[in-house]
Amino acid sequence: MGMGSLGGTEVPILGSDAVKWLDLSVVASSPPHHSSHQPFAPPTEDAASCHIIGDPPVYLFWRIHKKLPHVLELLELSPSNDFPSVGLRLVFQDALCPFAFIWQDETRSSTGIQYFLYALTVSGIAYLFQLKNVCDYASCSTFPQNKFVGVNLQAITQAEAITAVAATKGRLLIGRQDGSINCFQLGTLDKDAPGFMHELRDDSGIGRIWSLMARSRSGASPVQDLLVSEACGRKLLLVLHVDGSLRGWDLSSHTRLFNHVISPESSPGTKVSRLCISDANSQNTYNNSLSIEHGEINVEMIGICTLHFDLGDKITFSSEPLMLEIPLTESKVIDLKMVSEKLWILKEDGLLIYDISLEKMDLQEVMNYGLHEAFVADQLFQGSESSLDDLVWTNQALFSSIKGQVVPFVSSIFLRRLFQPGILQNIPLISTIKGYNKQCADTDFQSLTLHGLREEIFSLMECEGGSGNQTSVICWWKNFCSRYFRNWCKSNLPYSLFADTSTGAVGLVRQNSISLFRGLEDIEMLIYGSFDEIHDSDLPENDLDREILFELLRCASSISQQLGKAAAAIFCESLISAPVLSSEEIVPHLVKILETGCSSAVVEYHISQLGSGNAWKKELSDHKNQRKFSVDMLLTLHTLYSKADSWAKVLDVLENYLKFLVPRKSNQIIESEVKFNINTSIMVQSTSQIAKVMFESALDILLLLGYLVNISGQVHMMQEDISRIQLELVPLIEEILTEWLILHFLGITPCESPASEDFSSQLSSLHIDGNSDNRSWNGKLGTCNFPLACLLFVDRGRYGEDQTYLSSHSLPNPNDIVRSVRNFSSWIIWGLHEESASFFSHSTDLSVVLMKHGQYEAVEELLAVIDVYSRKEKTSQSVQSTSGEWCRHLHLLGLCLLARSHCGLQGKAKEKKVHEAVRCFFRASSCQGASQALQSLSIHGPLQSYCNGLASEAAWKLHYYQWVMQMFEQYNRSDGAFEFALAALEQVDEVLDTGNDNSVGDLSHESATTIRGRLWANVFKFTLDLNLYYDAYCAIISNPDEESKYLCLRRFVIVLIEHGASKILCNGGLPFVGLIEKVEQELAWKAERSDVAVTPSPYKLLYAFEMHRHNWRKAACYIYRYSVRLRGELVSKEQHRISLILQERLNGLSAAINALNLVHAAYAWIDPQFDNNICPDGHYPNKKARKDGEEKLPSTTELKYWRASHFIDVDKLEKEFVVTSAEYSLSIANSNFKVTEKQALPPEMVDLLVKENLYDMAFTVILKFWAGSELERKLEQVFIAMSVKCCPNTVGSPLGGNSVITHPLLLTSAEDETSRAILQTKGSSQWGTLELYLEKYKGMHPRLPTIVAETLLRTNPQIELPLWLVRMFKGGRRATAWGMTGQESDPASLFRLYVNSCHFVEAVNLLLEYMDSFASLKPADIINRKKMSAIWFPFTTIEMLWCQLGELSSSGHITDQCDKLKRLLRGALTNHLKQVEADSCDAVSSAIV
């Protein structure tokens, strides 16, 4: 028997592939002992089933996977609720048999037990579980041991292995290898209680004996399958044995009812495999059909027989032999189901449905239901054999207008199809990505939103080099989709069918998902060729019209097959992304491809993919197909023309068919509130599938008409017919395409997760209403299992639908799904109002709902689709001028563009969105009747309240522009807000021109000046945000409201400072006409109330501002105030910040000094108390912050007093600069230096500087603050301190009358003295410093060398004075004829110091040096020596030296040394006196002469 026509298709249940499993380990308290390692029960296979329990029904699904043999998955769902996000997984210690049974706990005890579950392991352990709700196990990791029982069946019976398992409430039934059947009352009785196990056997006397004898003689046939059925209130067990015998048992009485051999005797090799029975149809009789799967090698058969059971005076049971057989030769049978006299056969390649007549036992109809694999393959471009499919992808002319955007456009096509609900799944996607050697964790991908998945795929494409050009991106995407499709098929293997006999619903349990089957719409049947199934008044009644229509549909189908799947995908994407690629450009190119066929681009593509040899063969095949297509189409069209006699007749039939394609209004619509649930999700998925078929069918007709027009000369088509096609049929098709595209778009486009910046999404996330439903769906946003259409139900809006479908708590049957699609499509397109004649009106309501939930991108695409259609529609002008829908669409589109510019976009793309939003709002305001149309929108309440009650159109526009301006401001888009602020200003003038007074009529009670001031203030704000500072200044001076102007000026100053653009204030670029004082006030106010450390400093700006205007004194005042405030910051700042602040303070003081130096000396002063006061005569706008800072000003008398006593001139500033410099030096030198609030006095500062060896700074302070004797005294103090530092360690006792000198009084040579001095100098850097500064300042105070020498000798009596210091006493020259005379620090002073400090050796040597010099003068100098008082020696000190040497000698201490010194001293004095005497005589003689 051949395959029948397509009668339905599979619809996945959204969310069934994204269940999060809660794993519970099943750990028995005493694990049963296994006597053998061999399986005792059927091995693990892929298996699943559904148990429908309760009223309203609850659907309980279980699954066992061959790859996970230890795991049993449980899922509970209710059609009136959303699909559960969490399921339960029981993890056993042993592998499981492909069996489970669930029934309801009818007692509903207080313990929370709701269900019972049977499970069986391959080792023969049967389990009974008491199950509660899944949420009750959230905190568990193991299943509670007191809630399950495990029984080892192998240990109880010690019988043959188990070959089949079945169950009913409280009874577990097993069939064995030896043909026996056991019934265990597991859960009803204890395992040790009598009657726990019962074997079903024949107790009818001789029959039983015969049975036992037969079993012992030849062995009973093993049990193949068990099936429990309900028969007249009794439980009936049907047992199928391997030998083909079928036995029936009454479970109530444990008696056998019948025993028949149903396997054909003519086929001894036939093997039976499973049973399937239909539901009972009577309470007193049982008359059902039974299907039995059996077969031979490579051939599977389904045999059907009838069973009759009559409960009367005597129980009778009869069965008919196999009357019908269904051969299945193409693929393997997976499962069977019989529902309402229909046999459903699930095969690997599809689903077959047979109508069975119980009375005639006849197969009346055969239909084929498509599985979801075919839909996924079609969406992912798999299995395309079209000769032109690759040509469409590689056609350069098709994408010529978007050369730079081909890669994102093509990627958008594939992503839109990949991300469709029912196609995108985590498991195959992760497997596909891992196939590219990319490391990824399952949990990471499950947490990603669609945006994150998109980024991952794009990054993978870039790594693989697939984003280079058009060809590479197409090749990469085809390869990716091919891999994904293979992984999708592997992870979605069909397991079993399930059926709800109460409604006729039939579904499919897959490896990772659950789905239902739906029927086909009438138009789908017509498109797929099921002509006999159509019974509709809209179709042609006479045979000729039907024949013409069928021929047209075949032509359209040929075009579709010839072009392949790429054409419809590109055309659909062009409608959705209209600004990128216009759909008007697509159709002509596709028609041209149909006419011409292959091109050089596709040849290159085939060479790159197939190689040159195969590409050449492919090219020949394509040319052959193209010629065949052209010839067939031409012959068919000629035949069609001959049958119809004219093309007008053909076009009439085609026009009637197109009317049939238009979404019809439902006549059975009831307004009700809808809750999003499983049934509505099935309806949404079905709608998207049907809409896809309708869209592609309409496109095929459009291409057929285009093809007809192009070859019109070859088929004898007149110009009138061509005009009719272009002016009537093409617009009708475009409308149909738009309507079905909207339905398809809403059904396949996942909801995006709103951006975190979006206010509406943040508000909804708070769940203020406490609605748990909202919390459940809110987490679905951003996933592929929640399309836009589902979001419409979440809004709980009014919806038109058949009430029975809405109120149903059961899964719908295939026909109910189709009826619900019709009503849903009618509601989406036409709404609930009968007077609605266009889908314009309801699309606005849909857009509003989507926008409330942050779906701005989707609404933008939706409105773009309508916009494209409206531009093509010939009556678009009338639509704009009358209904106002066009205005609403533009307004909503502007809001979407504005919101999208705020969410994720950057750069040029963001700017483009803002520009388009501005354009949309201006276009919306320009539409006729815009004021009335926009007031009805509910997306933004403020717009209604803002514009209600306005009489004039101009006034409405003014407020509308202000409202739009606020929207742009809300999204931080100052560029757009700026445009509408200017537009509002222009509108104010227009409103005033129409009024009679200076108020804005019916707008408000504000004056025109106030309104203009507010708008100019907004212009100022937006230009300032855009860093358009000169425009912002223009807005300030244009503001007629003085108070608003000054507020803006203040803000202007503050922002310029904060943004580092303060140079504009100071460089004279802005004239500040009449605002200079205000600017200065604002700067001063800002300076006084800002942190002194702020950058840039307002005080520096004031300084620059005043300096630029030659206000030197004011500049000095402000910068000095800055230094004063910095002084106050020093106490509280950290140590590492002190030096920086002091440096900044020095800069401020230096700037103040420089400014005052530019002023005449008589006016070079500032008043620190009031000259820097912040604008004492200024008046500020009324702001509390400004008033709080104001203080009462002093009187004029007080001002004069303060100026006389507290003015600061340049000299004071220089002194403060010096002290601050000293503090800065100290802070650098000493990290522990602390600055007090009160500045240190100069004496204290000098001491600190000397202590830190900062001598330059110390001398600077001294020179600045002292003069005369005070200066000399301060210099002496500094050099004394410096001298003490040169000899920190003292040796011996202080000088005294009888002090003993411990160092030897030996005479030293000049060389020894020099070497010791050099070593001494090198030994300490203090000596060099002392020499440097003594040399520098001895001219200012000649006695300083003496002070230094005295200090050194006093501090360390045993010290040897450094050579440079001795030379300084000697005047830098050797002893002369003048003796030891000189300045205050002369050789005589040094001689006295030596004597007083007991340095007798040095004293004697110094005296001898000068006396020898006196005696050895040159002849030229002798005349000078003989003059009166020409020489002088300190004879008193010499006498003191002589006496001290005598005392030392007489005391017995160092007698020899003292005697030697006395001899030297006596000899020198004797020679000197003789020389003096001779010189005196010579002088007398010369005088006498």
Side-chain angles (χ1 to χ4, degrees), residues 1206-1220:
H1206 291 87
F1207 72 92
I1208 296 177
D1209 55 10
V1210 175
D1211 182 63
K1212 290 183 179 179
L1213 287 176
E1214 290 176 347
K1215 289 182 177 180
E1216 188 171 354
F1217 179 85
V1218 169
V1219 175
T1220 304

Side-chain angles (χ1 to χ4, degrees), residues 1380 1387-1388 1391-1392 1407 1432-1439:
M1380 300 180 74
F1391 179 74
R1392 282 193 295 269
L1407 182 62
W1432 178 84
F1433 285 95
F1435 292 104
T1436 304
T1437 307
I1438 294 173
E1439 182 181 1

Side-chain angles (χ1 to χ4, degrees), residues 131-132 427 445 473 521 576 816 821 1005 1037 1168 1208 1249 1284 1485:
L131 298 176
K132 299 186 290 186
I427 294 176
F445 270 86
V473 71
E521 261 281 13
I576 296 175
D816 287 340
V821 169
H1005 298 292
I1037 62 177
I1208 296 177
L1249 293 170
V1284 171
S1485 300

Side-chain angles (χ1 to χ4, degrees), residues 361 923 962 1290:
M361 203 58 191
R923 290 175 63 193
Q962 292 183 77
T1290 58

Side-chain angles (χ1 to χ4, degrees), residues 396-548:
Q396 300 293 334
L398 195 62
F399 302 102
S400 60
S401 61
I402 56 166
K403 291 182 179 180
Q405 300 179 355
V406 175
V407 173
F409 181 80
V410 173
S411 298
S412 177
I413 294 175
F414 282 91
L415 282 174
R416 192 179 300 279
R417 292 183 164 232
L418 179 65
F419 284 176
Q420 285 188 33
I423 295 181
L424 181 63
Q425 295 181 3
N426 284 329
I427 294 176
L429 181 62
I430 293 173
S431 300
T432 303
I433 293 178
K434 287 182 177 179
Y436 286 92
N437 297 323
K438 181 178 176 63
Q439 300 297 327
C440 57
D442 296 355
T443 54
D444 295 340
F445 270 86
Q446 291 175 0
S447 61
L448 288 178
T449 62
L450 290 177
H451 179 73
L453 290 176
R454 187 181 292 111
E455 294 299 326
E456 286 289 333
I457 294 176
F458 278 143
S459 65
L460 181 64
M461 182 171 64
E462 292 178 0
C463 293
E464 295 292 326
S467 59
N469 51 45
Q470 179 179 344
T471 303
S472 63
V473 71
I474 292 172
C475 293
W476 188 90
W477 271 113
K478 281 193 170 184
N479 179 267
F480 181 87
C481 290
S482 178
R483 293 188 182 189
Y484 178 84
F485 178 68
R486 290 195 298 269
N487 291 321
W488 189 96
C489 293
K490 291 179 182 179
S491 60
N492 284 277
L493 297 175
Y495 278 9
S496 70
L497 296 170
F498 70 92
D500 186 353
T501 57
S502 63
T503 62
V506 179
L508 175 61
V509 182
R510 291 180 174 272
Q511 181 177 345
N512 286 297
S513 62
I514 301 173
S515 55
L516 286 183
F517 291 100
R518 68 168 180 87
L520 294 183
E521 261 281 13
D522 291 341
I523 189 65
E524 288 184 289
M525 295 181 182
L526 186 61
I527 293 171
Y528 290 133
S530 303
F531 303 134
D532 298 335
E533 305 296 330
I534 305 298
H535 302 286
D536 197 287
S537 59
D538 292 336
L539 289 180
E541 297 180 357
N542 60 73
D543 294 338
L544 178 60
D545 290 353
R546 284 177 177 266
E547 189 174 351
I548 292 174

Side-chain angles (χ1 to χ4, degrees), residues 937-948 963 966-967 970:
L937 286 178
S938 59
I939 182 64
H940 289 291
L943 177 59
Q944 292 179 331
S945 60
Y946 210 68
C947 303
N948 281 340
W963 181 88
Q966 293 176 1
M967 291 301 300
Q970 178 181 337

Side-chain angles (χ1 to χ4, degrees), residues 825-836:
S825 302
S826 176
W827 176 64
I828 292 292
I829 299 301
W830 310 111
L832 298 177
H833 305 290
E834 296 182 358
E835 63 274 9
S836 176

